[in-house]
Amino acid sequence: MAKFRLSFTNILSFLIITLFVAFLCYNVIDLALLELGSYKVYIMVYGFVLALNVFVGAYNLNYRNRSHDLFFFFCVTSFIFTDVSYLITEYFYSIELLNMLNFILQLFGYYFVVRYFILKEKYVARRLNNY
């Protein structure tokens, strides 16, 4: 297993990814201040959990660089964009293009989830057979 090494490129990529997810979460919540009401706290917690998943996915992709880590990262990012497009279409602008984008990204997200678990299971089984 690769050791954790901090380099300027890794810190910069983690910072950009985390700040982008926080920016999306904050702006969508800020736009929907009146419409969301009591759901604002729940959406903030959910956004924080998604940001943590993005951070873990980016870390695993940078340091382990396995195919199932790539699918996990794609899964989390597609769910972020799906949730942002859902909030925009539900509370602000009901644009058919965003509805289609939401649907397509959900399909991709579920595909990436399934591929992640299939590849992860194969990787674990291969490691167990080597011991």
Side-chain angles (χ1 to χ4, degrees):
M1 179 177 273
K3 291 185 177 182
F4 180 74
R5 292 189 189 122
L6 287 177
S7 67
F8 179 73
T9 308
N10 293 336
I11 292 172
L12 185 64
S13 66
F14 288 145
L15 188 64
I16 288 172
I17 290 169
T18 306
L19 287 177
F20 178 69
V21 171
F23 172 77
L24 280 178
C25 182
Y26 176 76
N27 282 327
V28 169
I29 297 298
D30 191 40
L31 287 173
L33 184 62
L34 297 175
E35 289 85 1
L36 293 177
S38 64
Y39 294 118
K40 184 177 180 181
V41 174
Y42 298 125
I43 292 174
M44 290 291 283
V45 169
Y46 181 67
F48 180 72
V49 169
L50 277 178
L52 283 176
N53 277 326
V54 166
F55 184 77
V56 168
Y59 172 79
N60 288 340
L61 191 59
N62 272 338
Y63 289 104
R64 295 193 312 194
N65 199 14
R66 298 180 187 136
S67 59
H68 60 271
D69 294 326
L70 178 67
F71 282 109
F72 177 72
F73 183 75
F74 284 160
C75 167
V76 173
T77 54
S78 66
F79 283 146
I80 286 172
F81 289 117
T82 298
D83 294 337
V84 167
S85 67
Y86 171 77
L87 285 174
I88 290 172
T89 57
E90 185 70 24
Y91 293 104
F92 303 112
Y93 309 109
S94 183
I95 302 171
E96 192 61 33
L97 180 65
L98 283 177
N99 283 332
M100 289 189 325
L101 179 69
N102 185 10
F103 179 72
I104 290 169
L105 285 175
Q106 277 185 349
L107 288 177
F108 278 128
Y110 294 134
Y111 170 75
F112 293 140
V113 166
V114 170
R115 289 293 297 169
Y116 167 74
F117 282 114
I118 288 172
L119 290 174
K120 179 76 172 180
E121 184 177 315
K122 286 181 182 178
Y123 176 77
V124 169
R126 193 174 31 215
R127 287 201 63 192
L128 289 175
N129 288 337
N130 287 339
Y131 288 117

